[in-house]
Each structure stands twice: as C-alpha cells, then as structure tokens.
Amino acid sequence: MIIFTDKCNVFTLSFKIMKKEIVDILVIGAGPSGSVSSAYLNKNGINVKVVEKSKFPRYQIGESLIPRCMDNFEEAGLLEALKLQDYQVKSGARFIRGEKDKGVFDFGKKHGEGWDWTWQVPRDHFDNVLITEAQKQGVQVDFETEVIDIQFNGTDSITTVKNAQGELKEIEAKFVIDSSGYGRVVASKLGLEAPSQLAEHGSIFTQIKDVRRPEGSEGTLITFEVLAPEVWFWYIPFSNGNTSVGFVGPMEWINSFEGSTTAIFEEMLKKATHYYDQFKDLPLLFEPYKVENIAKNVTKLYGDGFVLTGNSAEFLDPIFSSGVSFATESGILAAKLALKQAQGEDVDWQVDFVDYIKKGVDVFTSYVKEWYNGNLQEIIFHDKENVEIKKQICAVLAGYVWDNTNPFVKKHNRLIRNVAQLVAMEKTMDPADS
Ligand SMILES: Cc1cc2nc3c(=O)[nH]c(=O)nc-3n(C[C@H](O)[C@H](O)[C@H](O)COP(=O)(O)OP(=O)(O)OC[C@H]3O[C@@H](n4cnc5c(N)ncnc54)[C@H](O)[C@@H]3O)c2cc1C
C-alpha cells in the first residue's frame, strides 16, 4: 500500500502487483480450434498456453460434424480420446422438402479419398473431452480467464487476462493464435471485423429429450427439413437420447415472430411438418438461444505476431455443418506454421495460410449461396438422380473442398448453376418430373 500526502489531502492507493508469465505461443479460446492447435504445438515441443473465458463444460452450438474434421483431430493427437465417447455416428446427411425424401447423402459413396463418417455431438461434452485430452498431454490451460487486452509490439505481444477472482495477469508471447470464436478478441481489438458477403440469416435453437424418437436411421440420421427456399429446420439426434433442434432463416422471417424464444420456437415447430408430431408438447431442455446475423468476416487473417483461426475469423452458415471443420482445419494449419516460424524458418502466411483456407471457404461459400438461391436444392431434390454428380456433391458435404479432382470443387462457382439449369430444362420438357 502506498500513501501520498499533500497539504490538505491524504490519498491512499492500494494495488496488487500484476502477475507476469512468458510463453512461446498463447492460444485464446479452448473450443475445437484452440484445442487442436495447442495439442499440436505441445506435442511438437512448444511452450503453449491456452486461456479460456468460460468454465468447462460449457454449452456451444455446432453439433453436427463433417468427416474432414476427423483428419484434423487425428493429426492433433485428439482422435483416440474422442473415439472412447460413444457419440452418435454420422455417416451421411438427409435433406427433405415436403413429402419428398430424395436428398440422402451417404459419405461412404462420395467422390475421392477421405473419412466417410464422423459424429453428432453435444458440444459441451465434446469440447471438454478435447481440451481435457490436450491438458493430459501437457497443454497448460487457464479456465475462467478472459482476455481483456492485447498489445502488439512488432511480433511480440502482451496479453492481459482476468480470472474469476478478478485478478489480472500479463502474458508475454512471441505469437498469438486467436481461436476465441464468437469472442473475436483480436478482430475487435484491431478493428478487423468486416461484413459478410452472405445474406443476413438468424437462428433459434435448443435441445429436446427425444422420447418419441423412431427406431433405425429415421431416429439417428441428421436431417435438414426445408420449410421455404431460405428457411430450414435441423434435427441432430445425439447418443444420449437428446436431440438438437433449430431453425434458420432470413432475419426478416426470424423477426416476424413475437414473444419469448420458447414461444417463437413452438410456433416455428408447427411448420416443421416432418417432425412436429415427434416433438409437439415436449418440454425444451433450455430456453432457446437466438442468434442474429450469423455470418461473420474479417479484413485479414494474420498480422505481426498473430493469426485468427476458426470462428474468430469467419463463419459462413450452418446449412452444411462446416464450422468445426474449418475451425480445426485453420487451427491445425496455424499451429504447423507457427511451429515452423518458432523453429526459425520463414513462413508466408498469405500463401500458406490465407490462400489455402480461402480456397476451401470459397467452395463452401458457393454452396451456401447456391443453396439459398434454390439451385442446389433443385439438384438435390430432382427426381432423376445422377449418381456421379451426387458422389461429387457428397464429397463437398463431407468437407473435402480442397480436392481438385472433384469437378464440383474445381468449378464450384459455375457447375451447380449449370446443372440446375439443365434440371430446369428437363422439367420443362417433362412437366411430370417435378
Ligand atoms: C446457428 C448455428 C448453428 C451451427 N451449427 C453448426 C454445425 O452443425 N456444425 C458445425 O461444425 N458448426 C456449426 N456452427 C458453427 C460452430 O458453432 C463454430 O464454427 C465452432 O464452434 C467454431 O469453433 P471455434 O473453436 O472457432 O470457436 P468456439 O467453439 O466458439 O470456441 C471459442 C472459445 O473462445 C472462448 N473465448 C471467447 N472470448 C474469449 C476471451 N475474451 N478470452 C478467453 N476466451 C475467450 C469462448 O468461451 C469459447 O470457449 C453453427 C453456428 C451457428 C451460429
């Protein structure tokens, strides 16, 4: 305690000496992106620390994975711990529209190489397994520790964190991987937030104890029920008997409902004709969350001393469940490049990180746009199924969006549109084929 005195006043200043810590690499956020990057760095001998604002387990949305993320969990050394958990296996996905039931994709029948299954997971449990395994392997994690400031000085940085007791600490790091998801720590600090090029969609979602779940694949297969061209419902059953349910649509549609999010959800549920009877009158496990303007973007993905991964950088749309896959793809790639840099090698972040991630994001962006403008739905729900086209689209839905042997990857910006036009022409020539 220090006491200053002058003629008429006595000022008392009380302060605590701020703790300091030095690490090689600081990871912000213990979601899937932060877990894979920290585990990868740790197993390659880097002194890495994760700071996480929440106490785990904590709820998170994003429960349907796609097969590509299995490669990333494997490379990070986290897959075996996940395999012990008995999560609901996801070996495909289904899109339905009205009475039609044609959009069933089986990842075992996709174009090219790669995983043909993954899981549907309650993210509170799943994310906790990931970060606990990373800790077991030696990653230092401070939970309930929020980043409140970062100052960059060239490539060095000082990050100020605050723990649950309100204590402050400064962490010096030679490099920061920002995996803070919707927290978007570095993007907001450095003013990097940018508007998305995608339409403004919102979502309402919760979980329900699925006591009327049907037997067989009807009760286990993730399903997207199309209610209108831009409005859809998701059904993501878990192995614990609960099911994640949610609606996505333009903000205009979301805002056309009034009342509590429970009242809104119940009103929306009446429109999901395929699932209404299964869920009507069942209690919701929690008051539904509402997310507005889902898509996020940034002006740049890296800078002196930092890189942005996962949702802290960009998020497109939930329709193809690509979030965790991109979060882990960018997390593991950032870790590999940061390791190279720590070992004294030159890294071209633009070419090796941004251009690579952008290539995959561009493919999914085309699919999201072509889904909402109706072209992709025309192909998926077409009566006459083309087996080869379906295989190629299936590989994209599995997350293999860097495989240029797939025409639906290589020519993503025009092939869907062209095929949709052919489907429309076929329908004009044969009106019975709707
Ligand atoms: C409606 C909706 C549906 C979705 N559905 C899917 C889906 O089916 N499949 C899919 O793959 N993805 C889906 N997503 C996307 C998914 O939620 C994310 O892509 C995914 O969680 C990103 O992982 P992450 O590791 O980047 O971030 P997160 O999982 O968000 O983890 C970031 C962590 O950083 C922590 N953090 C934040 N701020 C700070 C701070 N200041 N200091 C310290 N820590 C901090 C947070 O507490 C959090 O634990 C959906 C998204 C929405 C909005």
Side-chain angles (χ1 to χ4, degrees):
M1 185 179 291
I2 299 179
I3 302 174
F4 296 99
T5 52
D6 66 11
K7 275 182 245 151
C8 29
N9 293 312
V10 177
F11 302 103
T12 305
L13 285 184
S14 155
F15 65 88
K16 290 178 187 160
I17 305 278
M18 204 189 282
K19 287 187 190 154
K20 286 191 194 286
E21 191 176 345
I22 300 176
V23 296
D24 289 334
I25 297 183
L26 178 69
V27 175
I28 307 172
S33 196
S35 288
V36 295
S37 62
S38 59
Y40 183 88
L41 288 165
N42 174 68
K43 88 175 175 166
N44 284 284
I46 295 288
N47 171 17
V48 58
K49 159 145 235 152
V50 179
V51 285
E52 164 57 53
K53 172 172 89 169
S54 310
K55 183 176 176 187
F56 271 39
R58 56 94 180 90
Y59 176 79
Q60 181 57 289
I61 189 63
E63 300 127 325
S64 149
L65 308 181
I66 54 175
R68 172 63 192 170
C69 68
M70 305 298 263
D71 296 295
N72 303 326
F73 292 127
E74 189 166 35
E75 204 165 3
L78 301 176
L79 188 63
E80 292 310 310
L82 293 173
K83 280 185 177 168
L84 298 174
Q85 305 306 319
D86 197 27
Y87 294 129
Q88 174 61 55
V89 167
K90 172 181 171 184
S91 51
R94 175 173 70 161
F95 300 86
I96 57 179
R97 187 170 72 180
E99 292 304 307
K100 294 198 167 194
D101 193 351
K102 306 195 179 74
V104 180
F105 287 85
D106 175 353
F107 294 137
K109 295 184 184 152
K110 70 178 183 321
H111 169 93
E113 301 294 308
W115 284 81
D116 54 17
W117 65 276
T118 183
W119 293 290
Q120 291 150 201
V121 296
R123 284 284 301 279
D124 51 350
H125 192 278
F126 182 79
D127 288 14
N128 197 35
V129 169
L130 285 173
I131 197 64
T132 304
E133 178 58 23
Q135 275 181 301
K136 276 190 203 151
Q137 295 177 9
V139 175
Q140 298 293 313
V141 187
D142 288 356
F143 289 101
E144 296 186 88
T145 298
E146 182 179 6
V147 171
I148 54 167
D149 190 34
I150 300 196
Q151 299 294 335
F152 289 97
N153 181 9
T155 55
D156 292 338
S157 59
I158 297 182
T159 300
T160 308
V161 294
K162 185 165 91 177
N163 69 13
Q165 290 70 46
E167 293 163 343
L168 300 180
K169 181 164 72 176
E170 284 185 348
I171 304 176
E172 276 181 42
K174 296 192 187 77
F175 196 72
V176 173
I177 299 181
D178 180 5
S179 306
S180 61
Y182 307 103
R184 301 170 72 76
V185 170
V186 171
S188 48
K189 166 78 191 163
L190 301 184
L192 307 179
E193 309 230 38
S196 170
Q197 45 170 318
L198 294 170
E200 292 186 342
H201 286 140
S203 181
I204 297 256
F205 48 88
T206 183
Q207 292 176 6
I208 300 182
K209 196 167 173 50
D210 202 353
V211 290
R212 295 193 281 255
R213 184 182 284 179
E215 291 292 313
S217 70
E218 183 64 35
T220 54
L221 189 58
I222 177 172
T223 299
F224 303 90
E225 182 177 358
V226 178
L227 313 182
E230 282 195 68
V231 180
W232 53 277
F233 166 81
W234 78 66
Y235 173 72
I236 307 177
F238 302 140
S239 58
N240 64 8
N242 298 337
T243 289
S244 168
V245 280
F247 294 87
V248 178
M251 281 313 302
E252 218 175 38
W253 182 74
I254 301 273
N255 289 334
S256 67
F257 294 84
E258 284 179 356
S260 67
T261 56
T262 296
I264 293 174
F265 183 87
E266 282 167 356
E267 208 45 43
M268 288 178 171
L269 191 59
K270 293 179 187 157
K271 299 177 190 302
T273 47
H274 193 81
Y275 287 100
Y276 181 63
D277 286 342
Q278 191 171 332
F279 292 118
K280 76 174 168 198
D281 305 328
L282 292 184
L284 309 182
L285 288 178
F286 48 85
E287 173 84 19
Y289 287 87
K290 179 178 178 185
V291 175
E292 302 189 357
N293 303 322
I294 295 172
K296 302 277 178 240
N297 205 353
V298 284
T299 51
K300 60 181 201 173
L301 292 182
Y302 73 97
D304 277 349
F306 74 88
V307 64
L308 311 183
T309 72
N311 267 35
S312 75
E314 181 162 20
F315 181 60
L316 299 175
D317 191 277
I319 181 65
F320 300 122
S321 308
S322 61
V324 171
S325 204
F326 274 118
T328 54
E329 191 86 24
S330 54
I332 201 105
L333 182 56
K336 283 182 192 169
L337 297 174
L339 172 68
K340 238 174 124 181
Q341 199 166 264
Q343 291 168 339
E345 291 179 51
D346 283 342
V347 172
D348 187 337
W349 285 95
Q350 181 60 41
V351 172
D352 297 340
F353 187 77
V354 177
D355 293 354
Y356 174 84
I357 294 297
K358 189 173 177 311
K359 185 172 184 313
V361 167
D362 284 350
V363 175
F364 265 114
T365 302
S366 290
Y367 278 70
V368 170
K369 284 182 178 167
E370 299 289 356
W371 170 267
Y372 285 110
N373 71 18
N375 284 335
L376 192 51
Q377 296 183 39
E378 280 310 294
I379 300 171
I380 288 177
F381 297 121
H382 186 34
D383 273 334
K384 292 179 189 150
E385 188 174 288
N386 179 313
V387 176
E388 206 45 45
I389 287 179
K390 190 164 186 185
K391 274 176 154 181
Q392 293 166 2
I393 293 178
C394 188
V396 172
L397 302 187
Y400 288 96
V401 287
W402 288 271
D403 174 11
N404 268 341
T405 70
N406 183 351
F408 272 79
V409 168
K410 197 169 177 195
K411 301 176 199 159
H412 61 92
N413 49 0
R414 54 179 199 278
L415 203 48
I416 303 167
R417 193 173 56 234
N418 292 349
V419 173
Q421 277 166 0
L422 289 176
V423 168
M425 272 166 58
E426 261 184 55
K427 280 186 184 171
T428 327
M429 285 154 67
D430 180 6
D433 171 25
S434 57

